[in-house]
Amino acid sequence: MTTLLEIEDVSLLYGRIKALHGISLTVDEGEIVALIGANGAGKSTTMRAVSGIRPVAGGKIWFNGEDITKLRADLRVRRGLCQAPEGRGIFPGMTVLENLDIGAYTRRDRAGVARDLARVLELFPRLAERRKQAGGTLSGGEQQMLAVGRALMSQPKLLLLDEPSMGLAPMLIQQIFSIITEINEQGTTILLVEQNAQQALARAHRAYVLETGRIVKEGTGADLLHDPSVKEAYLGVA
Amino acid sequence: MTSVREWIDSGRHAVSERWHNGPRWMRWAVIAAVIVFFYALPNREFYQWLGPIPTTGSNFGQVLFTISIYVLLAVGLNIVVGFAGLLDLGYFGFFAVGAYTVAVFTSPSSDLKTLWPWLLALPLAIVLTMISGVMLGTPTLRLRGDYLAIVTLGFAEMIRVAATSSAFLKGQRGFNQIPHPPGSYSDGKPIFGVLDPRPYYWLVLTLIILVVIGVRNLNRSRVGRAWISIREDEDAAQLMGVPTFKFKLWAFASGAAIGGLAGALFAGKQNFVSSQNLELLNSIIILAAVILGGSGNIVGAIVGGGLVAYLIERFRGIEFFGIELYEYRFMLFGVVLVVMMIFRPQGLIPNRRRAAEFKDRRKEVIVGG
Ligand SMILES: Nc1ncnc2c1ncn2[C@@H]1O[C@H](COP(=O)(O)OP(=O)(O)OP(=O)(O)O)[C@@H](O)[C@H]1O
Ligand SMILES: [Mg+2]
């Protein structure tokens, strides 16, 4: 298996506050890798470093064999790395279709875009029903689906998902996780940040546990799911 | 109050429905009629039938020229503020760069003594304003938030100070004998003279039409989509692969170029440019015009620019209980803007998307919690 993403000793600063203290992790092609941790642990920050909307203070990031540490965020999308941001980042004034269309902004192959659009609308029938509705007026769950669908439109090799289950009803959470598995089975590698550790670990091949800007544990999803300290801290089981 | 608003809204809605669903030829006919109307407007034979609309205190042709310059500026600023969502508080500075470039290269009072014809200085004025836009934008557009507003405000003030105090820019004495645009009638008389303001108005009107066609095409292209995404959520735009900095710079520079064009036209008409032409509040007036008309909508910007400039001129010479209204024009616009922000923040002729952005559900949280 080839390594798709490699983060080596990355640190990141917000002003003078250090949010990441040299973290290292890898994502192999075809995997679902989960990143779990408490609020403020630095999960979203890690995502920002990978997608490039925040510059790193130290360390290296490799994607597909290329050093992308200093590469601009929009060029990373062209390399096949796309993030559905935390808080969804839907364009409120654009319709569902226009949002999806921007997702394919970096692509020129019209036929491929049309195919992916059909695929996304099939994955999320709710979006198909509401294709002309303004993104800002969608419900929270619908926005979440749109964020995932929009990221898929860029045809990413690696899809970064920051809390895709946030604010969803239990039934929808199940649904979105099945869709994540489905996307992965169709060939997209996924790096997943989740509060919902139970689901994330059950679906992920491997996972990392982040605590105050440091990686404190790693292992297969199944291993961590049964790890006593993880159970206690993140799964709400004594 | 509410019922009146509802009534107006439903009326406007009906008009907009008919406009968008009507046959193509009908839309073209309406547009053609509007254009013919504005070309005919400065002729006395025509405007004498329009009742109280023409200004009484001053030459109506001259007023129309002023209005057309404001409209051009509003169309330019709308790219920056309306399309890309960048707050530019010093837009009038670009107008000044355009006007001064023409003055410096054409006027006999300039130290350069190049004495270029107006037409030669025009492209240079546009290019220089564009470059000044790029120079101003390159460091600031990388930053988020309100830096741009502050820097642009500072830029306009800097231009004004330079114009007032630098010997090269001649301060209040200014530059005189700036040449007019070229062209003459068949009898040898110049088209662009001193007495008749109408040809200048027609020239600006023609350029407005050309600029609007260009801007409209740009806005409907990939560039336009990129601008919308940046305006609505810059981080998300970047995460979708939109080169946000490049497109912000493009919006800023093309807005600047249009400002420079307006300045060059003004200098070519006015014959004289000095630091007294640089009323800083003009930046705010143009911004107010864009917001009033409907930020992000080209027709809105045209209507806003036209309305604001017209009202300012209409106030001239009108007394109200012994108060000269013209003196209070800025205060009146302040009041109008505040009222607009409360009752119709999306502007008179809103952009469909903008209206939806105001309904953004993410904002419900803030209101509710
Ligand atoms: N823009 C910012 N400026 C300053 N500090 C920030 C900023 N963004 C995040 N932080 C801080 O960095 C730390 C990590 O934040 P991050 O958003 O990565 O947490 P997280 O693990 O995603 O948490 P959550 O599960 O709540 O989303 C937090 O202490 C946070 O307060
Ligand atoms: Mg987070």
Side-chain angles (χ1 to χ4, degrees):
Chain A
M1 230 191 281
T2 49
T3 306
L4 190 56
L5 176 76
E6 182 170 0
I7 302 177
E8 191 188 305
D9 197 25
V10 160
S11 50
L12 193 148
L13 301 170
Y14 290 117
R16 257 187 256 149
I17 303 162
K18 202 162 196 176
L20 297 181
H21 301 264
I23 67 163
S24 301
L25 62 83
T26 58
V27 180
D28 290 340
E29 215 159 281
E31 276 190 314
I32 298 180
V33 172
L35 200 56
I36 61 172
N39 290 123
K43 306 181 297 295
S44 299
T45 305
T46 307
M47 293 299 222
R48 285 180 204 128
V50 174
S51 59
I53 51 173
R54 276 277 175 176
V56 299
K60 288 256 172 260
I61 303 172
W62 277 280
F63 180 69
N64 218 3
E66 182 191 1
D67 180 353
I68 59 163
T69 316
K70 296 236 146 40
L71 195 69
R72 257 175 25 217
D74 57 278
L75 295 177
R76 295 186 196 196
V77 180
R78 285 175 197 271
R79 301 288 197 280
L81 202 160
C82 194
Q83 183 186 348
E86 187 182 31
R88 306 176 187 122
I90 294 305
F91 301 112
M94 294 190 199
T95 64
V96 167
L97 280 184
E98 287 167 335
N99 265 283
L100 293 172
D101 194 43
I102 284 279
Y105 188 81
T106 53
R107 296 174 63 183
R108 297 276 180 186
D109 57 322
R110 282 173 182 239
V113 171
R115 219 177 315 115
D116 280 347
L117 179 64
R119 174 180 159 225
V120 166
L121 294 180
E122 199 179 318
L123 278 175
F124 301 104
R126 274 287 268 284
L127 296 182
E129 287 163 27
R130 300 177 174 271
R131 58 183 83 201
K132 293 265 183 254
Q133 191 174 328
T137 60
L138 294 176
S139 80
E142 290 160 349
Q143 289 195 359
Q144 197 60 267
M145 297 176 199
L146 183 54
V148 175
R150 191 182 56 178
L152 277 178
M153 289 300 293
S154 74
Q155 206 180 27
K157 288 194 187 72
L158 175 63
L159 177 62
L160 307 172
L161 297 175
D162 195 343
E163 305 212 25
S165 75
M166 187 169 61
L168 299 191
M171 232 193 44
L172 272 179
I173 294 184
Q174 279 301 334
Q175 206 182 335
I176 205 117
F177 275 106
S178 330
I179 288 172
I180 289 170
T181 308
E182 194 177 333
I183 292 168
N184 177 249
E185 279 161 3
Q186 291 173 3
T188 308
T189 309
I190 292 172
L191 177 58
L192 172 69
V193 160
E194 259 305 327
Q195 286 290 334
N196 195 329
Q198 175 78 46
Q199 280 281 349
L201 292 177
R203 302 271 176 177
H205 300 105
R206 289 188 305 113
Y208 293 85
V209 180
L210 206 58
E211 239 169 55
T212 55
R214 289 185 182 84
I215 289 188
V216 294
K217 226 180 227 351
E218 63 172 289
T220 65
D223 282 351
L224 291 179
L225 205 51
H226 298 110
D227 184 295
S229 63
V230 171
K231 263 188 179 169
E232 189 179 352
Y234 303 109
L235 300 175
V237 201
Chain B
M1 181 77 202
T2 340
S3 69
V4 172
R5 262 176 71 202
E6 271 165 16
W7 181 75
I8 292 173
D9 267 1
S10 74
R12 203 186 53 80
H13 194 73
V15 170
S16 138
E17 285 286 275
R18 283 198 39 190
W19 176 256
H20 288 289
N21 299 332
R24 241 182 131 77
W25 63 264
M26 187 189 82
R27 262 179 282 172
W28 282 112
V30 172
I31 291 171
V34 169
I35 290 176
V36 168
F37 172 85
F38 279 103
Y39 272 105
L41 196 55
N43 296 307
R44 174 175 289 281
E45 302 76 41
F46 182 71
Y47 71 69
Q48 63 183 340
W49 305 106
L50 296 179
I53 291 174
T55 49
T56 41
S58 39
N59 180 328
F60 191 48
Q62 171 62 35
V63 168
L64 283 176
F65 171 75
T66 309
I67 292 175
S68 65
I69 290 286
Y70 272 95
V71 167
L72 187 54
L73 287 169
V75 169
L77 184 59
N78 181 49
I79 300 177
V80 184
V81 175
F83 292 161
L86 306 166
L87 189 54
D88 182 345
L89 293 181
Y91 187 64
F92 201 66
F94 296 118
F95 174 92
V97 172
Y100 267 93
T101 305
V102 167
V104 164
F105 283 91
T106 63
S107 164
S109 19
S110 159
D111 296 343
L112 287 186
K113 300 281 180 258
T114 42
L115 299 178
W116 284 8
W118 179 83
L119 199 56
L120 191 58
L122 176 72
L124 184 70
I126 295 172
V127 169
L128 278 186
T129 28
M130 202 152 176
I131 291 174
S132 66
V134 169
M135 275 167 49
L136 197 61
T138 304
T140 40
L141 290 173
R142 288 187 199 280
L143 307 170
R144 295 288 161 84
D146 306 329
Y147 295 101
L148 186 70
I150 295 161
V151 169
T152 48
L153 196 62
F155 162 73
E157 178 62 12
M158 204 178 74
I159 299 271
R160 195 187 62 81
V161 169
T164 318
S165 51
S166 118
F168 182 70
L169 294 178
K170 304 282 177 236
Q172 294 211 352
R173 276 187 300 128
F175 295 87
N176 50 34
Q177 295 180 54
I178 294 168
H180 297 296
S184 52
Y185 293 112
S186 51
D187 61 359
K189 277 208 203 113
I191 299 174
F192 298 97
V194 183
L195 292 178
D196 189 359
R198 289 177 307 170
Y200 296 97
Y201 164 73
W202 286 320
L203 175 64
V204 181
L205 187 58
T206 309
L207 286 169
I208 289 174
I209 292 170
L210 294 179
V211 166
V212 164
I213 292 171
V215 169
R216 200 177 114 96
N217 285 338
L218 203 57
N219 194 39
R220 294 192 158 193
S221 67
R222 263 169 81 80
V223 180
R225 281 196 300 152
W227 281 338
I228 298 163
S229 69
I230 293 167
R231 181 183 76 207
E232 295 196 352
D233 190 331
E234 197 174 337
D235 274 341
Q238 212 170 17
L239 288 176
M240 293 304 119
V242 176
T244 52
F245 173 70
K246 185 176 102 183
F247 281 116
K248 285 198 289 181
L249 197 58
W250 256 113
F252 199 64
S254 32
I258 294 173
L261 169 68
L265 288 165
F266 175 82
K269 154 88 172 59
Q270 216 62 6
N271 198 277
F272 174 71
V273 168
S274 85
S275 62
Q276 281 176 317
N277 299 129
L278 300 181
E279 178 72 76
L280 205 58
L281 269 167
N282 276 327
S283 294
I284 308 302
I285 295 235
I286 302 158
L287 184 61
V290 171
I291 293 171
L292 183 75
S295 190
N297 185 319
I298 302 176
V299 177
I302 294 172
V303 170
L307 200 63
V308 164
Y310 172 73
L311 288 176
I312 290 177
E313 293 302 322
R314 201 73 191 78
F315 286 151
R316 245 188 245 276
I318 296 182
E319 284 194 8
F320 195 70
F321 295 117
I323 303 166
E324 163 84 55
L325 279 184
Y326 187 71
E327 298 295 321
Y328 290 88
R329 61 194 190 282
F330 293 124
M331 197 186 84
L332 282 170
F333 277 111
V335 173
V336 168
L337 267 188
V338 170
V339 170
M340 282 292 292
M341 284 300 108
I342 294 170
F343 290 107
R344 200 172 173 79
Q346 66 271 46
L348 292 175
I349 305 176
N351 171 313
R352 174 177 61 85
R353 275 181 234 285
R354 270 273 153 135
E357 283 164 34
F358 277 100
K359 281 191 230 142
D360 185 0
R361 294 187 63 158
R362 284 183 297 183
K363 289 175 188 143
E364 283 175 13
V365 183
I366 302 165
V367 177

